[in-house]
Amino acid sequence: MTGTTGAFITFEGGEGAGKSTQVRRLAARLRTGHPVVVTREPGGSPKAEAIRAALLSGVAKPYGPFAEALLFSAARIDHLDTLIRPALARGETVLCDRFADSTRAYQGAAGGLAPDLVTSLERVVVGPTRPDLTLILDLDPALGLARAAKRSAEGAEAGPDRFEAEALAFHTRLRDAFRAIAAAEPGRCVLIDASAEPEAVEAAIRTAVTARLPRLLGEAHGDAA
């Protein structure tokens, strides 16, 4: 569900895939043409950010993936109501670092939650506010975890969060889940090779946005070069 000229673009992928970097880069390019809102999940609103802190600290882990999925859903409801839907209604473009596909992958495929339960939660919470485009940054999980560990060592993060701390097998299931989502919904999703240098990943994302939502980069920049 978008406004007149805007769009809803989500970025997905495993740990260390570079989503945050690529969200910032795309936002900078698009902002030369029209308003862009950058947000993230869980988070994006005060209440959702509070839930994010609890989730990433691991406080809900002992209660299982269903409890985590409910908390993610509560955060998503507030995020949609207070930030995403109003921005789209104004015709702005929303770039979101993670959205409902992460619940499908993390709590669903990797966490073992039944697919029909995840689908039901998504239907109730998300409703018609579906992304126009989802960019799935695909990366070998071992490389992604190494990147995340380096980021933590450099002081950008306070050590591994609840999900980064999971075993490699969990992250392998995540990658498989995201790739399956991309294959099942090719009209919405584009799989991006995130193993390349950031500039090459940015170029691939720009190509995907130009192909799927040409009005955005056409307005933001004379061409996609």
Side-chain angles (χ1 to χ4, degrees):
M1 182 181 76
T2 63
T4 304
T5 60
F8 185 19
I9 302 175
T10 56
F11 287 69
E12 298 283 3
E15 306 300 329
K19 299 181 310 304
S20 299
T21 295
Q22 295 303 329
V23 168
R24 290 194 299 269
R25 290 184 177 215
L26 181 59
R29 179 166 289 265
L30 294 179
R31 280 181 176 137
T32 64
H34 55 261
V36 175
V37 173
V38 172
T39 189
R40 67 179 183 177
E41 287 211 347
S45 66
K47 291 178 182 177
E49 288 290 337
I51 295 173
R52 175 190 180 90
L55 281 163
L56 296 189
S57 74
V59 69
K61 182 179 179 180
Y63 301 98
F66 183 52
E68 286 189 326
L70 289 176
L71 285 171
F72 275 107
S73 295
R76 185 164 298 133
I77 288 169
D78 192 68
H79 189 203
L80 282 162
D81 287 347
T82 62
L83 190 145
I84 293 175
R85 288 178 180 138
L88 294 175
R90 294 191 298 268
E92 298 174 2
T93 292
V94 176
L95 306 183
C96 191
D97 183 345
R98 298 199 182 282
F99 192 60
D101 291 312
S102 280
T103 303
R104 294 185 190 182
Y106 279 76
Q107 284 70 52
L113 209 56
D116 58 344
L117 180 55
V118 176
T119 299
S120 296
L121 275 175
E122 184 176 322
R123 183 171 59 250
V124 170
V125 172
V126 175
T129 314
R130 307 281 172 170
D132 296 293
L133 173 64
T134 297
L135 300 159
I136 297 179
L137 275 59
D138 181 52
L139 183 68
D140 180 279
L143 177 56
L145 290 173
R147 287 182 179 179
K150 181 181 179 182
R151 182 181 62 206
S152 296
E154 291 173 348
E157 304 288 344
D161 65 29
R162 180 262 179 269
F163 297 105
E164 291 170 353
E166 287 285 350
L168 181 60
F170 177 91
H171 294 279
T172 299
R173 294 196 298 274
L174 275 181
R175 185 190 193 188
D176 292 343
F178 280 122
R179 291 171 69 93
I181 290 168
E185 299 187 52
R188 173 175 67 88
C189 301
V190 176
L191 198 66
I192 303 289
D193 179 6
S195 65
E197 291 299 314
E199 292 74 18
V201 177
E202 180 184 5
I205 287 172
R206 200 161 61 240
T207 297
V209 174
T210 301
R212 301 297 183 93
L213 299 167
R215 69 184 185 277
L216 294 183
L217 281 173
E219 294 169 4
H221 204 262
D223 55 45

